[in-house]
Amino acid sequence: MPALGGTPHDSEPETAMTPQLESDREPCREKTQSDDAHCDESQPWSRRAFLSGTALTLCGLAAGRAEAFANLQAEAVSLGHRDAPWYPLHVPTETSADLSTLTCAPALVDMGDGTLRGVLAYNGGFPGPTWIARTGDWITVKLVNQLNEPTITHWHGLVVNYANDGGPLLEIGPGAAYDYNFQIKQRAGLNFYHPHTHMLTGKQVCLGLAGAFIVRDAEEDALALPSGAYEVPLVIRDASFDNHGNLTYNPTTSGFNGKFPLVNGTLRPTLTVDRGVYRFRVLNGANARVFRLALSNGAPFTVIGNDGGLLRAPANVTPIDLGMAERLDLLIDFSALSAGQTVSLRCLAAKWDLLQFVGTGAPGIPYAVPATLSTIAPLVGPSQPSRTFTFDGMSRINGLEYDPYRIDFRVPFGVTERWRFKTGGNAPHPVHVHGASFQVVSRTGGRGKLYPWESGWKDTVLLSDRETVDVVIRFAAYQGEYDGQYVMHCHQLEHEGMGMMTNFKVI
Ligand code: C2O
Ligand code: CU
């Protein structure tokens, strides 16, 4: 693994990529009726909220705090400034498999700068607590809805039966609860949880509902990877704020594009690092943004895992395009970073510094990454596609918008199939399948190749402009008219909300 050497010029202001806020500045004004009306966003993707009158109003949450708007304006200036302060990276609370209650509710959180901002949170956290469970554990948890609109939680990447999968038909109303009870039957990996509410997923995720779910197992234990303070989850997303400094959901026709990056809910985050190897568990938690990750000194990342857990072998690579809902398991060696030196994790696409690492100079723990991480047998499927799905425009798969009550296809249990994903425009479409992991076997057109971080097991694959991607998939966990019902959809959450989703059954 290449040791990463920080160089003094890494932190030179003229090369730092700071979130720019020019367009956020607007004249100071009092909150008006139309501010609240604006919260309802009578956009196509929030038509349900608009029609049902159950629109969630974060706007009301922090109303009355007269200083909030002034703070935000001051902060808008400071965040966009190259010498703006950096705030310590928040690391979400960890919870074990036996957490019994998961509550969705509005909350006020500090994103680093001391301002309290309205969000929607799981158990008060933004992001929600990081579950740490092991293969074989049972998860028995009650979801409590303290929002003023329906919600339901999906365990993205965990293979569970229909009743535990948190699909759109399982939503619960305000004040209601839902009991989950399932066993983790899969290998170690970084999964995550988020709402999957019919037509409201994008809004609820954007306003803060998401968290990491880490599964561990004996195979991973045997690698003795960096742990404790040297293993850090990084939930990366973008966000925008309303006039009160609260998170706001204001998608455009190309989806929600926030003005600021957040890592673990922290604005302009910094992490002090010792002279050793760190393991980062990275999730793209954005609604509609693909991050092009790179280190500011050009050093490669050592990728050891992705959505479905460990890769067969480590890969040194940069940059990495990480689509919405995709995950990465990365090692970075800071042994050459001396006290006070900095290096940043960047998004080259947005020209953002996402996270600044600052050397402590203190000794860390070395780690020699093994040449072989895991044994992954190739899933051998047919050479021709068993099914083809075109992701059309912003709202259709094979020409159809999602209908919660229509089953579009049936897949035989235990049979290996080859699925072909094509785009009919408006890519990128990160394609996500519930109920099984798959192996990506080819990409033609567009970028025209597969990347090292797409090897092994995946549950989400990035389908970019003009691309055709083939995956091999086998459903071998749950089946039946009830247990075996799942969805496949685009994880650009505005596309999902507008109908780019399909129901199928494993029979
Ligand atoms: Cu992350 Cu069907 O969702
Ligand atoms: Cu899409």
Side-chain angles (χ1 to χ4, degrees):
M1 178 178 15
L4 181 159
T7 50
H9 68 257
D10 280 335
S11 54
E12 275 178 21
E14 60 269 28
T15 61
M17 295 190 282
T18 50
Q20 290 304 310
L21 277 168
E22 297 305 320
S23 57
D24 247 10
R25 294 185 199 167
E26 50 179 280
C28 218
R29 60 187 168 83
E30 290 300 314
K31 179 174 173 246
T32 61
Q33 280 275 285
S34 67
D35 286 333
D36 280 335
H38 178 71
C39 278
D40 292 346
E41 286 140 11
S42 49
Q43 309 262 21
W45 37 84
S46 51
R47 64 191 187 273
R48 169 179 154 153
F50 182 68
L51 291 172
S52 67
T54 59
L56 180 86
T57 52
L58 263 184
C59 288
L61 189 71
R65 292 186 301 117
E67 77 287 9
F69 181 53
N71 284 351
L72 185 71
Q73 291 302 300
E75 176 187 44
V77 175
S78 74
L79 279 175
H81 193 270
R82 64 191 182 191
D83 296 323
W86 293 77
Y87 303 109
L89 177 74
H90 169 65
V91 177
T93 316
E94 287 185 2
T95 185
S96 59
D98 55 16
L99 182 72
S100 59
T101 307
L102 192 63
T103 302
C104 300
L108 288 171
V109 300
D110 176 1
M111 299 188 190
D113 62 347
T115 303
L116 287 179
R117 301 167 185 281
V119 303
L120 300 183
Y122 280 115
N123 288 2
F126 175 62
T130 302
W131 295 67
I132 310 282
R134 291 188 68 83
T135 304
D137 281 351
W138 281 89
I139 303 297
T140 304
V141 67
K142 185 184 291 293
L143 175 73
V144 177
N145 180 6
Q146 291 182 1
L147 309 177
N148 59 9
E149 62 185 23
T151 196
I152 191 67
T153 295
H154 167 59
W155 315 92
H156 183 128
L158 295 180
V159 175
V160 294
N161 63 343
Y162 174 75
N164 285 294
D165 200 40
L169 284 172
L170 297 176
E171 66 178 37
I172 52 170
Y178 191 89
D179 289 307
Y180 294 89
N181 184 41
F182 59 88
Q183 189 177 25
I184 297 172
K185 295 184 175 174
Q186 64 203 72
R187 69 201 294 252
L190 169 61
N191 304 287
F192 70 116
Y193 59 103
H194 64 77
H196 216 305
T197 325
H198 187 44
M199 292 184 180
L200 294 174
T201 301
K203 174 184 171 188
Q204 294 179 356
V205 170
C206 183
L207 294 182
L209 291 170
F213 194 117
I214 291 173
V215 176
R216 304 201 188 281
D217 66 9
E219 182 189 43
E220 184 193 282
D221 294 346
L223 296 177
L225 287 158
S227 61
Y230 299 123
E231 182 190 15
V232 186
L234 301 178
V235 179
I236 302 174
R237 56 165 290 181
D238 51 357
S240 288
F241 300 102
D242 69 12
N243 292 346
H244 305 283
N246 301 321
L247 284 186
T248 190
Y249 181 56
N250 52 355
T252 66
T253 50
S254 59
F256 174 81
N257 278 285
K259 294 207 167 69
F260 304 89
L262 291 174
V263 182
N264 295 349
T266 312
L267 288 159
R268 293 179 58 84
T270 186
L271 179 69
T272 56
V273 290
D274 296 338
R275 301 184 74 150
V277 179
Y278 282 69
R279 179 183 187 193
F280 294 102
R281 316 297 301 269
V282 183
L283 160 67
N284 179 344
N287 281 37
R289 184 183 291 277
V290 177
F291 290 102
R292 174 162 289 184
L293 302 176
L295 290 166
S296 56
N297 64 354
F301 302 103
T302 298
V303 185
I304 61 166
N306 59 5
D307 310 354
L310 293 166
L311 306 182
R312 291 184 183 89
N316 292 324
V317 58
T318 191
I320 298 176
D321 283 336
L322 192 67
M324 297 75 94
E326 287 188 298
R327 285 91 74 201
L328 288 172
D329 197 341
L330 302 176
L331 298 180
I332 302 180
D333 184 349
F334 294 106
S335 60
L337 198 69
S338 56
Q341 282 190 310
T342 63
V343 63
S344 296
L345 175 66
R346 288 183 166 164
C347 172
L348 300 181
K351 298 189 164 46
W352 280 340
D353 272 350
L354 300 169
L355 172 61
Q356 184 185 66
F357 302 106
V358 182
T360 62
I365 299 177
Y367 184 78
V369 63
T372 300
L373 298 165
S374 178
T375 308
I376 297 176
L379 199 53
V380 181
S383 57
Q384 291 306 311
S386 319
R387 305 167 197 277
T388 297
F389 302 95
T390 62
F391 290 75
D392 307 320
M394 295 186 285
S395 63
R396 285 164 288 119
I397 298 176
N398 289 346
L400 295 174
E401 278 185 10
Y402 181 62
D403 172 345
Y405 300 101
R406 186 188 68 230
I407 304 300
D408 291 322
F409 60 103
R410 285 161 197 269
V411 187
F413 181 81
V415 175
T416 306
E417 295 197 339
R418 184 183 183 110
W419 290 11
R420 176 161 292 177
F421 304 135
K422 296 167 72 166
T423 168
N426 295 86
H429 304 294
V431 178
H432 171 49
V433 184
H434 291 214
S437 290
F438 50 75
Q439 293 181 0
V440 189
V441 292
S442 71
R443 174 180 286 113
T444 54
R447 293 172 292 163
K449 63 173 186 166
L450 298 180
Y451 296 88
W453 59 88
E454 297 179 303
S455 67
W457 292 104
K458 295 276 291 168
D459 57 51
T460 307
V461 65
L462 189 58
L463 182 62
S464 289
D465 198 23
R466 292 174 287 114
E467 293 179 358
T468 295
V469 170
D470 281 11
V471 306
V472 173
I473 191 164
R474 178 170 171 267
F475 293 85
Y478 299 95
Q479 68 182 122
E481 287 295 331
Y482 186 72
D483 274 351
Q485 184 175 331
Y486 294 110
V487 291
M488 171 173 71
H489 59 92
C490 177
H491 221 288
Q492 202 268 36
L493 297 180
E494 286 68 44
H495 290 181
E496 177 194 322
M498 287 189 282
M500 194 172 268
M501 180 152 60
T502 175
N503 281 317
F504 64 95
K505 288 190 183 194
V506 176
I507 297 296

